[in-house]
Amino acid sequence: MAVYTKISNREIILINSKFDIDKIESFKGIKKGIENTNYLLRSKRKKLILTIFEKRVSNREIPFFMKLMESLNNSGVNCPKPLKDLNGNYIIKLKGKSACIVSFIEGNDKIKLNSKNCLDIGKIIARMHNVSKNIKLYRKNSMGVKNLTPLLKSIKFKSKKFSNLEKFLKINLNELKKNWPKQLPHGIIHGDLFIDNIFFKKNRLSGIIDFYFAANDYFMYEIAICINALCFDVTKSKFIINKQKIKNLIKGYESIKKISLREKKSLNILCKGAAMRYLLTRLYDYSNTPKTALIQIKDPNEYYQKLIAHNNLGSYKDYFI
């Protein structure tokens, strides 16, 4: 459920008065996603997306996301492009909250990716990285490895059955901090490329959405996030790494942008870090969110299994053979 803020025709009239767009004839809340409120807006000729920013996105950081999407879009990376209002501003106020309107990306997310899809995803990530390394914007990664220790401390392990898990997390987090690589190639990464943020139309990749975790970090960390999010298959609640998908993801990426030897040597620890990030955020939501909250709680066990899978691998070649 991702419609936290309800709007009416009154807000639609306000939007039409502020933007040079066709008259909006209908609007509908989009239930996918958990961070912000999203609506699909329709006019006779066009579809647009209205995003109303909820508490998890800081108002002072919103301009970063707007400028990033505009720069990527202008450079040929197919992603939502933010519209400016009649005063040249990206952001308007709706129901006392910051909001923006972005272009609509045709297509839909897929339930399951095939290896060819992973090849195409690798290519668009590399194109995005080639553009983003030259964009003069900066946002610290709020979900970087340095932020994981306070996140772990904030999790409420409510019963004794979680005591072994807490010990496991502390051991793994200490290893991450000790072995985290330094001075790898870096720039702005998407930072949250899950399957529902990647759109396909007639089985061709049509664009990527949801840049609200984008930040400056290692390019290889993006690949590690994608391996965790896109390159595991699930059977009866068991998550198994799919090395063919990883091979195609890397092949697609390297057809556009080469990966250095230092980056390749860092893949395993970065994959562990990405798995730890999502394991901790899911544990936090699972243990700290009131049952009455309108938020979709995702299962932490998925990333517990994935972290163990990475612990059983070591070298770059282990991810292909």
Side-chain angles (χ1 to χ4, degrees), residues 90-233:
Y90 294 116
I91 308 302
I92 62 170
K93 287 290 184 180
L94 285 180
K95 305 291 284 279
K97 298 178 180 180
S98 296
C100 72
I101 294 178
V102 300
S103 61
F104 180 82
I105 300 296
E106 295 287 347
N108 299 98
D109 56 330
K110 297 187 72 172
I111 295 173
K112 187 176 181 180
L113 298 175
N114 59 41
S115 292
K116 171 63 165 58
N117 299 150
C118 292
L119 185 83
D120 294 336
I121 292 168
K123 290 178 180 179
I124 197 170
I125 295 169
R127 289 199 296 270
M128 180 175 64
H129 289 175
N130 276 337
V131 173
S132 74
K133 68 183 179 182
N134 297 316
I135 296 175
K136 304 301 181 185
L137 294 171
Y138 182 82
R139 176 181 179 264
K140 182 181 178 181
N141 188 356
S142 59
M143 298 307 301
V145 69
K146 292 180 180 179
N147 300 83
L148 298 183
T149 298
L151 178 58
L152 175 56
K153 290 179 179 178
S154 69
I155 295 170
K156 300 172 183 175
F157 293 95
K158 296 178 181 178
S159 64
K160 290 183 179 179
K161 70 177 183 178
F162 286 114
S163 59
N164 287 337
L165 174 60
E166 187 175 7
K167 182 179 179 181
F168 169 83
L169 293 171
K170 287 179 178 178
I171 291 170
N172 278 266
L173 190 51
N174 285 335
E175 184 208 350
L176 284 176
K177 290 189 290 185
K178 181 180 177 181
N179 297 305
W180 200 251
K182 297 178 180 179
Q183 296 181 329
L184 294 179
H186 61 277
I188 301 172
I189 66 170
H190 180 284
D192 202 40
L193 266 177
F194 275 67
I195 195 167
D196 52 356
N197 290 331
I198 305 166
F199 281 11
F200 292 84
K201 187 177 182 182
K202 295 181 180 178
N203 211 34
R204 293 172 63 93
L205 201 157
S206 57
I208 52 180
I209 66 167
D210 199 355
F211 283 78
Y212 302 116
F213 279 103
N216 294 72
D217 212 316
Y218 297 147
F219 292 132
M220 202 63 182
Y221 185 53
E222 182 103 272
I223 293 174
I225 291 170
C226 289
I227 287 173
N228 277 285
L230 310 175
C231 299
F232 278 77
D233 296 330

Side-chain angles (χ1 to χ4, degrees), residues 74 107 157 177 226 251 278 299:
N74 289 342
F157 293 95
K177 290 189 290 185
C226 289
K251 182 180 177 181
Y278 290 106
D299 186 5

Side-chain angles (χ1 to χ4, degrees), residues 33-83:
I34 61 173
E35 294 294 328
N36 301 305
T37 292
N38 295 285
Y39 284 89
L40 174 63
L41 310 179
R42 291 179 181 265
S43 65
K44 276 187 178 180
R45 298 182 299 169
K46 214 168 189 180
K47 290 184 277 189
L48 298 166
I49 298 293
L50 165 68
T51 296
I52 302 173
F53 296 100
E54 304 296 347
K55 292 180 180 179
R56 289 195 179 191
V57 178
S58 167
N59 280 333
R60 63 183 174 81
E61 294 186 325
I62 295 174
F64 169 89
F65 305 125
M66 300 296 105
K67 292 173 184 176
L68 172 62
M69 286 190 286
E70 182 174 54
S71 296
L72 290 173
N73 196 286
N74 289 342
S75 298
V77 177
N78 200 20
C79 67
K81 184 172 183 176
L83 278 61

